Amino acid sequence: MTRIPGAVLTVSDRASSGGYADRSGPLAVSLLAAHGIDASLTVVPDDPAEIRRGIRAAIKQGARVVLTTGGTGIGPRDVTPQVTAEMLTLALPGVVDEIRRRGAEHVATAVLSRAEAGIVTSTKRPSAFVVNAPGSTGGVRDAVAVIGPLAGHLIDQLDGGDH
């Protein structure tokens, strides 16, 4: 099986300042690895420019799958979905619909996630799949359970593979 280059971007003011130990990011890296995705981990604050820079840097370094964790709620600093949506060339709403559905089986507030998922294209690099996950370990588990089995097919399709 060919390994897929990936990246995890934890979006958290507290984790980026050292005031909180990031648990969701390392978990995402581990769970993605079980699906053939080798992901690096970066932590950034809940700042639109930092989130955008983190996603762009991951893609520039060759990531084909970028999972963000955190910043998907309804708080005033939760801006990850807006930033992601601005970057997407093609939205894949069914992916985050399924993540929310799975989460709501265990936690009713999972339906409040404003996560986005889709494709970011570039003229200089291969296209990448970007998906937002909640900042909780449960939200990361739900997200990877959905995207992990899809990743190989998704990348194959982005590279011109047949259905």
Side-chain angles (χ1 to χ4, degrees):
M1 166 168 76
T2 302
R3 305 293 292 179
I4 299 169
V8 173
L9 184 70
T10 296
V11 179
S12 169
D13 287 332
R14 292 183 300 154
S16 68
S17 69
Y20 170 83
D22 175 25
R23 292 179 28 227
S24 64
L27 176 63
V29 169
S30 174
L31 294 173
L32 288 169
H35 289 281
I37 302 166
D38 294 326
S40 60
L41 174 61
T42 304
V43 180
V44 299
D46 291 276
D47 175 76
E50 292 294 326
I51 297 165
R52 194 174 300 109
R53 189 174 3 261
I55 294 171
R56 284 186 180 142
I59 295 169
K60 186 176 183 179
Q61 292 168 5
R64 301 299 305 280
V65 174
V66 179
L67 182 137
T68 70
T69 172
T72 64
I74 58 173
R77 300 272 302 157
D78 292 331
V79 296
T80 306
Q82 294 96 296
V83 172
T84 303
E86 292 170 4
M87 299 177 75
L88 297 179
T89 307
L90 180 66
L92 298 172
V95 173
V96 286
D97 289 347
E98 178 61 11
I99 294 169
R100 281 188 284 267
R101 187 198 65 75
R102 284 181 189 232
E105 290 176 356
H106 310 286
V107 180
T109 56
V111 299
L112 298 177
S113 172
R114 298 176 308 105
E116 295 281 344
I119 307 304
V120 174
T121 58
S122 166
T123 56
K124 298 179 182 179
R125 310 217 182 291
S127 298
F129 172 59
V130 179
V131 61
N132 305 145
S136 66
T137 56
V140 164
R141 286 183 196 283
D142 293 334
V144 175
V146 172
I147 68 168
L150 300 174
H153 179 72
L154 201 149
I155 298 305
D156 184 56
Q157 291 289 289
L158 290 178
D159 292 344
D162 197 7
H163 296 277

